[in-house]
Amino acid sequence: MKKILNSVKIAQKELAKLSANERNELIFRIASKVRENCAKILAANAADLANAKDLSSAMKDRLKLDEARLNAICAGLESIADQKEVIGEIKKGWVAKSGIKINQIAVPIGVIAAIYEARPNVTLEIAALAIKSANGCVLKGGKEARLTNLAFMNALNSAFLPLGFCSVAFLDISRDEVLELLGMSEFIDMIVPRGGENLVRFVSENSRIPVLKHDKGLCHIYIDKAMELQKALNIAINAKCSRPAVCNAAETFLVHESVASKFLSAVYPLLKEYNVEIFGCPKTAKIIECKSASEQNYDTEYDDFKLNIKVVASIDEALAHIARYGSGHSEAIISEDYSACQRFLSEVDASCVFANASTRFNDGGEFGFGAEVGISTNRLHARGPVGVEGLTSYKYIIYGNGEVR
């Protein structure tokens, strides 16, 4: 493993010497190789799915690839290549009182390691973002997608062949070896855990390397007393049911008591179409059929067709609930009251806060980044969907003309 990591560290220096056009051409070449190997990749994915007997249906959906999803992944890679160059960008410049000229410029972080579960598209997306930002990249995918990831890496490695080096490595290693990896700060500059709460906690507690993470995706939709019903239904169902296994899916609806009967009566049959299991407060139980919600329910990221519903007396109670249970990921208000929206946007502490839009938009592709290495709830360095710019640091370049201190 040390040999592999050292080779990536060396290759990153070579990658950084390439021009922006050369790095973009490499990403386009990867997308082309993936399309060329479509049949092999889909066959590997079918084998992974056949082995994934213990996964929930929602998690199987995360794992599954078809030709349309593969084409969408490739289009995302090409979108990353088409973005403006960030490496070498002058962020700001000034002349100090001594006369020296100071420029702050964007530079790569170095080598980024990602540990992730189930979603094989992450392999290509993080690799492309790393190439665009001139970073080396070490990938550790989940065992559920092992064959798909290896098929992706075959395509990626063939795209690197003309260069004579490869700045991306895939580690097919055990949990014990992951623990060893987390101590290798001499090779890796940043680590990104992308998966469930247990994975993120394990990496955060054991890493000697700076961690870019989100703890969990415990997202809320607050339906305000000034809601417009059809808008509220569309957003709520999209946020919960479009892809429940992803981290930007809603886990709890908070409903103002003045519209609770109207909203819950209308949303209930829509949730039942998706066979959503509902956990509700006593006030909810008086309006619709549900199981009793506990503290544990409110504190759980389901990643499944399960949902909490709580009726609240005011926006203050909704904000207090989010402050208590929210994970700082994505929170949304549905309201036609401008003041209520502005208060919610201002007071909620999360990486992304939405007014009258689904939490499902907290995504690098939807933000125009092409993809993301992850969605960060950190307060330092980067927050929200982390695209190319979030994979840069900076240094100061100083021009003088004989000045001394």
Side-chain angles (χ1 to χ4, degrees):
M1 187 159 59
K2 286 185 177 180
K3 185 177 179 181
I4 292 170
L5 297 181
N6 190 53
S7 70
V8 172
K9 188 172 183 176
I10 293 169
Q12 187 271 325
K13 302 300 182 186
E14 297 302 314
L15 182 71
K17 294 176 186 177
L18 298 182
S19 68
N21 285 340
E22 287 172 320
R23 282 184 276 114
N24 292 339
E25 287 170 7
L26 173 57
I27 297 171
F28 279 118
R29 199 156 59 240
I30 292 170
S32 177
K33 292 293 184 182
V34 169
R35 288 192 176 100
E36 285 177 21
N37 289 275
C38 176
K40 292 180 181 178
I41 293 166
L42 293 181
N45 185 249
D48 279 331
L49 282 166
N51 293 330
K53 295 180 176 62
D54 296 331
L55 290 185
S56 68
S57 59
M59 292 299 287
K60 286 179 181 177
D61 180 63
R62 291 179 81 166
L63 174 59
K64 184 180 179 180
L65 293 176
D66 53 29
E67 194 167 343
R69 285 189 177 182
L70 211 54
N71 283 330
I73 292 169
C74 291
L77 302 186
E78 291 161 347
S79 174
I80 292 168
D82 283 332
Q83 291 178 35
K84 73 179 182 71
E85 175 64 9
V86 295
I87 298 302
E89 175 189 18
I90 298 175
K91 292 179 170 290
K92 54 185 176 180
W94 67 97
V95 178
K97 62 181 180 180
S98 62
I100 61 173
K101 298 176 181 178
I102 304 170
N103 286 336
Q104 185 191 70
I105 69 164
V107 298
I109 289 173
V111 175
I112 296 159
I115 303 174
Y116 50 100
E117 300 169 332
R119 296 175 67 181
N121 58 296
V122 171
T123 298
L124 293 178
E125 291 170 355
I126 293 182
L129 289 166
I131 292 165
K132 179 73 177 182
S133 54
N135 287 290
C137 183
V138 178
L139 302 168
K140 165 63 178 85
K143 64 181 184 297
E144 307 89 350
R146 178 178 179 272
L147 298 176
T148 311
N149 285 330
L150 292 175
F152 275 149
M153 285 304 300
N154 284 336
L156 185 144
N157 286 330
S158 65
F160 267 97
L161 279 176
L163 298 175
F165 66 86
C166 185
S167 60
V168 180
F170 186 83
L171 298 178
D172 194 11
I173 57 177
S174 68
R175 185 183 177 91
D176 287 342
E177 289 169 311
V178 169
L179 192 59
E180 187 179 354
L181 174 72
L182 296 177
M184 294 185 175
S185 56
E186 68 270 35
F187 300 111
I188 300 169
D189 299 287
M190 184 174 78
I191 196 152
V192 183
R194 186 167 170 179
E197 184 179 357
N198 291 336
L199 170 66
V200 175
R201 185 185 297 115
F202 175 79
V203 172
S204 300
E205 291 176 353
N206 291 284
S207 180
R208 288 176 50 207
I209 303 162
V211 179
L212 184 78
K213 64 180 174 66
H214 72 79
D215 293 316
K216 54 185 174 182
L218 221 168
C219 310
H220 300 77
I221 303 285
Y222 168 55
I223 293 90
D224 186 50
K225 62 183 178 181
M227 63 122 189
E228 192 278 303
L229 181 60
Q230 193 56 54
K231 184 185 294 183
L233 294 173
N234 292 343
I235 292 170
I237 292 299
N238 178 264
K240 177 66 251 181
C241 301
S242 60
R243 289 196 80 181
V246 294
C247 57
N248 55 23
E251 305 291 15
T252 300
F253 293 171
L254 302 170
V255 187
H256 195 283
E257 62 183 9
S258 65
V259 295
S261 180
K262 183 179 181 181
F263 174 78
L264 294 179
S265 298
V267 81
Y268 181 77
L270 301 177
L271 292 171
K272 288 291 109 179
E273 287 181 17
Y274 290 92
N275 295 315
V276 175
E277 186 178 1
I278 301 171
F279 301 88
C281 68
K283 291 181 180 179
T284 300
K286 291 180 180 179
I287 303 170
I288 60 173
E289 185 181 347
C290 63
K291 296 179 180 178
S292 179
S294 65
E295 289 287 307
Q296 184 176 352
N297 289 117
Y298 291 133
D299 202 34
T300 298
E301 179 186 16
Y302 293 119
D303 288 335
D304 205 346
F305 286 105
K306 298 180 180 181
L307 173 70
N308 306 316
I309 299 179
K310 183 179 182 181
V311 176
V312 295
S314 64
I315 188 173
D316 297 273
E317 188 178 347
L319 290 169
H321 184 97
I322 292 169
R324 164 67 180 84
Y325 296 102
S327 61
H329 193 290
S330 306
E331 309 291 357
I333 180 174
I334 305 172
S335 178
E336 302 304 305
D337 182 339
Y338 177 80
S339 296
C341 288
Q342 291 305 113
R343 183 182 173 196
F344 190 91
L345 295 172
S346 174
E347 294 186 22
V348 170
D349 181 17
S351 75
C352 290
V353 191
F354 299 87
N356 295 311
S358 171
T359 55
R360 292 276 289 108
F361 283 109
N362 189 349
D363 175 84
E366 295 293 339
F367 275 36
F369 300 163
E372 84 265 339
V373 298
I375 295 173
S376 170
T377 57
N378 286 8
R379 287 179 174 80
L380 293 179
H381 167 242
R383 202 176 192 195
V386 180
V388 174
E389 191 170 348
L391 297 182
T392 65
S393 181
Y394 58 81
K395 68 180 180 183
Y396 294 100
I397 289 180
I398 299 96
Y399 295 92
N401 189 29
E403 289 85 359
V404 295
R405 181 175 178 181

